[in-house]
Amino acid sequence: MQPSLGKMSAYKILNWQDRAASSIEQTVAAFLEIGEAIATRWIQTAKGVLLLQLVPGDDASGAIYVFDRRCDQWYMLSFEECEDRFTSEKFDRALSEYDLFRLVEQPGLLISELQPANA
């Protein structure tokens, strides 16, 4: 069965190695500040963080990001049927249908989903 949001792809967006932070909370806060956004969903493990980032006041402006804590690398997840207009409900559906929690437990799996930067 085809997932409802189409094919998922991942894109490297920010290498965070030069932005040392003393905690994962500070890392996420600095990332959110770049996009002037808030996190309405935040799932973290020892290896990764999964965020739904929204523009304040726009409940359908969300995008999904994964942070690989070992490599200090941020990724954006993209879905054919829902580029960057995620709502909390669509995030919850994607979390289940695409088993996104596995990407937080093992961010290295994103390598197989990576797309070229100019795709």
Side-chain angles (χ1 to χ4, degrees):
M1 183 169 111
Q2 176 76 10
S4 65
L5 300 175
K7 183 179 185 264
M8 180 184 80
S9 301
Y11 299 88
K12 284 185 175 183
I13 58 167
L14 288 173
N15 183 311
W16 211 254
Q17 290 177 336
D18 295 332
R19 298 181 184 228
S22 61
S23 71
I24 191 62
E25 291 80 10
Q26 288 177 335
T27 296
V28 171
F31 178 75
L32 293 170
E33 189 174 301
I34 291 171
E36 299 177 0
I38 58 171
T40 59
R41 298 287 193 276
W42 177 335
I43 300 168
Q44 81 181 50
T45 68
K47 295 181 182 178
V49 176
L50 177 70
L51 295 177
L52 172 62
Q53 175 181 298
L54 292 173
V55 173
D58 185 353
D59 293 339
S61 64
I64 299 176
Y65 298 95
V66 175
F67 180 63
D68 183 335
R69 295 174 75 171
R70 290 191 172 161
C71 299
D72 291 325
Q73 178 68 52
W74 282 101
Y75 298 87
M76 182 180 82
L77 301 184
S78 177
F79 299 82
E80 286 178 323
E81 302 299 322
C82 187
E83 193 61 34
D84 61 355
R85 301 298 300 163
F86 268 89
T87 62
S88 294
E89 293 78 19
K90 282 185 183 176
F91 174 87
D92 293 341
R93 182 176 352 142
L95 182 65
S96 173
E97 286 183 19
Y98 294 82
D99 190 19
L100 297 182
F101 188 75
R102 70 186 160 83
L103 300 177
V104 184
E105 290 185 310
Q106 298 178 309
L109 294 173
L110 286 166
I111 299 301
S112 66
E113 303 293 337
L114 274 178
Q115 300 299 311
N118 59 358

